[in-house]
Amino acid sequence: MSHIRVRFAPSPTGYLHIGGVRTALFNWLFARHTGGTFVLRIEDTDRDRSTEEAIQIIMEGMRWTGLDWDEGPFRQTDRLDLYWERAMDLFERGLAYWCVCTPEELEARRKAQQAKGESLKYDGRCRDRGITKPDQAAALRFKAPQEGQTVINDLIKGRIVFENSVLDDLIILRSNGYATYNFSVVVDDGLMNISHVIRGDDHVNNTPRQVPLFQALGFPVPEFAHLPMILGSDKTRLSKRHGATSVLAYRDMGYLPEALINYLVRLGWSHGDQEIFSMQEMIDLFDLKQVQASAAVFNPEKLLWLNAQYIRTSEPKRVAEALVPFLQQAGYDEAAIARIPEGAEALVPPLRERSQTLLDMVEGAVPYLAEPMTMDETAAGKHLTAAIAPVLKEFADSVEAAPDFAKETLEHLLHGLIERQGLKMGKVAQPLRVALTGRTISPGIFEVMALLGKERTLQRIRAGVERAMNAQGAAG
RNA sequence: GUCCCCAUCGUCUAGCCUGGCCUAGGACGCCGGCCUUUCAAGCCGGCAACACGGGUUCAAAUCCCGUUGGGGACGCCA
């Protein structure tokens, strides 16, 4: 087979959504797996709805997810002449004709057809008018074959047969001179030598209309692979009302791109029982044959779980790098981060076991970044009691006198203290935790101390002791 | 309405092409337990599905037909 070339062709009318990323991902994986070329093409022929901002957002999303393209972005609005030329060629060869029906007339006829229960189709009234030079606004229509069948051998769905009698004479050039989607797609796929068209299965019905166009234009017909749709929890097409559908929204909610990609690749594709795939594994293992033909429901819980998996198994350095922008966003500057003896990377191991998103990690990091610390009053009232004050004080004194601040040293000191006092670990750890973090929930107590550093550890325990003694005063 | 697609636990799926290894496996979620300095994580266990009806066959989740259900498309949007 000749060189494999695929493309992702979004229209820049809004944000890059989850479904689009999945389509881009499968194209990308297919290209990377086969050593082919991945082309990015912007389908912006609808000039009323396309925006420059949307183009930037699409590229930002692609970059964030790591789906890099080899060629493009090509913009269809830069290629208008190409479509015009091909359309005129079709006209001159009698394969296309001018249609002077107005959009309003067309709309009215569609309504009438609907009322009568007929199929919605252009009635062909301009087909044989033989208009050569329209003196009014006119659109150019392609003379679709009306007899026989068009057969698609879809790489995912198998053989699909369409009766040509259902085919419409579709408009290829609007009366404003711009090519329509169905035409520009074919011209571009042909001109760009696209070998495989991998797209959402909402395009299945467009395929039998495009195939005759490829043939009329003298292009080889590419292979088609129609990906199943992604549905919301109510089994209708995934949309905003099902929650976040923009990729960048997931970035902003603290998801790692590798987790999102991993989730998306499993929506419709599988490799045995494997759930977690590195990008390289996906590339090595990807095969269109393993793509599901049926639609899949988007499951936010599983995505969350995967994100948590990635957060706790990725290199701490990688997680820290993704985390820092979130810390800054939350108002913790370099100085705040510098309060942690080992820096931001040190936050990762202690915090990630209880975080599903980077945002969770930011929340968990607050006690180590913020000065002064915020004390949860309820927690203080319950744990910082008069009875525990002397124990905490003794611990602080021993830590202060210790030769170093190593975890082993601290553990040794605390265990010794507990033994001498005949206490249980929980009786001392909780008050200590509250004194150190202002909360009842935190990483292991020694990890907390490491994040705080010796100075702040001592200062906070002493403040806690103070408070516990005041509790005694209030009680007595 | 017309055309097209789809159909295994609540969800993602393995198995289906090349029937027997399936008393249908894994994962998320849920429930219970273990571990334990909190919360998590981890580990162990549990609940839970071949839509229905006909065929074909010694044998069907797997092949065929129908029914039902769901989705998508029918624009001078893409």
Side-chain angles (χ1 to χ4, degrees):
Chain A
M1 188 188 292
S2 54
H3 189 69
I4 285 180
R5 293 176 59 84
V6 295
R7 51 39 167 209
F8 174 52
S11 61
T13 54
Y15 54 72
L16 177 59
H17 59 88
I18 295 294
V21 173
R22 213 264 310 241
T23 301
L25 172 63
F26 281 32
N27 273 284
W28 183 84
L29 286 173
F30 186 66
R32 294 292 172 262
H33 178 82
T34 57
T37 302
F38 179 49
V39 178
L40 176 61
R41 187 172 73 217
I42 306 296
E43 314 236 316
D44 56 353
T45 56
D46 180 351
R47 56 213 227 298
D48 293 335
R49 297 201 301 157
S50 300
T51 66
E52 182 58 36
E53 191 195 359
I55 294 176
Q56 294 310 318
I57 286 173
I58 287 167
M59 293 199 286
E60 194 180 346
M62 299 276 290
R63 278 191 285 260
W64 180 65
T65 51
L67 302 180
D68 55 331
W69 56 93
D70 305 309
E71 292 179 16
F74 296 107
R75 298 186 190 198
Q76 293 191 320
T77 45
D78 290 337
R79 304 165 59 81
L80 265 18
D81 293 349
L82 262 18
Y83 311 136
W84 182 267
E85 281 169 25
R86 300 283 164 160
M88 286 308 115
D89 176 54
L90 251 23
F91 174 70
E92 278 155 25
R93 289 192 285 138
L95 296 172
Y97 60 89
W98 290 109
C99 171
V100 294
C101 299
T102 66
E104 294 70 30
E105 289 166 352
L106 261 12
E107 179 59 25
R109 278 181 240 158
R110 259 195 300 277
K111 282 211 171 107
Q113 286 174 331
Q114 196 149 33
K116 279 190 273 184
E118 293 170 357
S119 59
L120 278 28
K121 182 179 168 181
Y122 177 59
D123 59 13
R125 80 175 58 187
C126 291
R127 199 178 226 242
D128 299 310
R129 279 189 178 168
I131 300 168
T132 52
K133 256 178 95 182
D135 49 9
Q136 57 183 295
L140 194 67
R141 284 186 189 267
F142 176 63
K143 270 188 193 166
Q146 294 298 299
E147 285 167 12
Q149 304 176 320
T150 295
V151 178
I152 317 294
N153 286 306
D154 192 276
L155 265 19
I156 293 171
K157 307 214 181 240
R159 182 182 159 93
I160 307 175
V161 179
F162 295 87
E163 291 299 328
N164 288 341
S165 57
V166 307
L167 267 30
D168 227 334
D169 280 348
L170 48 88
I171 290 176
I172 58 178
L173 238 42
R174 300 183 177 96
S175 53
N176 66 7
Y178 282 72
T180 57
Y181 162 77
N182 274 305
F183 190 60
S184 54
V185 154
V186 172
V187 173
D188 280 344
D189 285 343
L191 256 23
M192 293 177 184
N193 292 308
I194 298 303
S195 62
H196 293 69
V197 172
I198 304 172
R199 67 210 328 183
D201 77 12
D202 47 339
H203 285 287
V204 167
N205 288 290
N206 283 145
T207 311
R209 322 172 124 216
Q210 293 172 3
V211 167
L213 233 21
F214 275 104
Q215 292 164 336
L217 259 12
F219 292 124
V221 179
E223 299 280 352
F224 292 97
H226 287 97
L227 269 17
M229 298 272 84
I230 297 178
L231 275 23
S233 51
D234 61 356
K235 306 228 178 192
T236 62
R237 210 181 155 139
L238 192 65
S239 67
K240 314 96 234 160
R241 68 202 161 78
H242 296 112
T245 53
S246 148
V247 233
L248 296 181
Y250 282 91
R251 176 194 63 185
D252 298 343
M253 288 188 289
Y255 286 76
L256 255 18
E258 43 272 53
L260 212 216
I261 288 297
N262 195 148
Y263 177 70
L264 256 20
V265 82
R266 288 283 292 106
L267 230 42
W269 176 80
S270 61
H271 182 259
D273 288 337
Q274 190 170 342
E275 295 287 351
I276 298 186
F277 299 85
S278 66
M279 287 285 221
Q280 192 56 50
E281 279 180 300
M282 284 182 214
I283 292 170
D284 293 341
L285 266 15
F286 188 76
D287 185 349
L288 283 173
K289 284 198 195 74
Q290 298 302 319
V291 176
Q292 195 92 356
S294 53
V297 173
F298 185 80
N299 182 348
E301 266 96 39
K302 189 154 184 178
L303 205 208
L304 235 203
W305 172 78
L306 258 176
N307 199 52
Q309 289 295 316
Y310 273 89
I311 283 180
R312 57 179 172 259
T313 59
S314 299
E315 289 295 321
K317 192 178 172 190
R318 158 71 187 122
V319 180
E321 158 196 274
L323 176 63
V324 169
F326 284 89
L327 294 176
Q328 288 166 345
Q329 173 83 22
Y332 300 111
D333 57 12
E334 272 178 49
I337 294 173
R339 290 191 185 113
I340 296 165
E342 309 285 331
E345 202 175 317
L347 283 168
V348 177
L351 294 177
R352 64 173 168 187
E353 295 303 319
R354 54 224 104 211
S355 300
Q356 293 187 294
T357 68
L358 296 171
L359 247 25
D360 289 345
M361 289 187 77
V362 171
E363 220 293 305
V366 170
Y368 321 104
L369 296 170
E371 278 306 336
M373 181 190 81
T374 302
M375 174 61 77
D376 174 338
E377 293 304 320
T378 309
K382 185 174 174 196
H383 296 283
L384 263 20
T385 61
I388 206 69
V391 181
L392 296 188
K393 182 177 187 311
E394 190 181 335
F395 180 64
D397 290 344
S398 67
V399 168
E400 185 155 32
D404 62 57
F405 196 64
K407 189 183 178 188
E408 296 69 34
T409 307
L410 298 170
E411 265 179 87
H412 182 75
L413 290 174
L414 189 62
H415 283 125
L417 175 61
I418 286 167
E419 226 164 282
R420 282 199 302 284
Q421 301 276 347
L423 292 168
K424 280 193 163 183
M425 185 60 159
K427 289 285 178 206
V428 182
Q430 254 337 56
L432 212 40
R433 170 169 288 112
V434 172
L436 289 170
T437 67
R439 306 171 168 193
T440 54
I441 295 173
S442 83
I445 205 69
F446 302 109
E447 292 171 298
V448 165
M449 292 188 243
L451 288 176
L452 253 19
K454 187 169 183 176
E455 290 310 307
R456 293 199 293 167
T457 294
L458 289 173
Q459 170 204 322
R460 288 188 183 184
I461 295 177
R462 296 232 137 94
V465 169
E466 192 81 0
R467 168 151 193 154
M469 286 166 66
N470 287 342
Q472 178 186 39

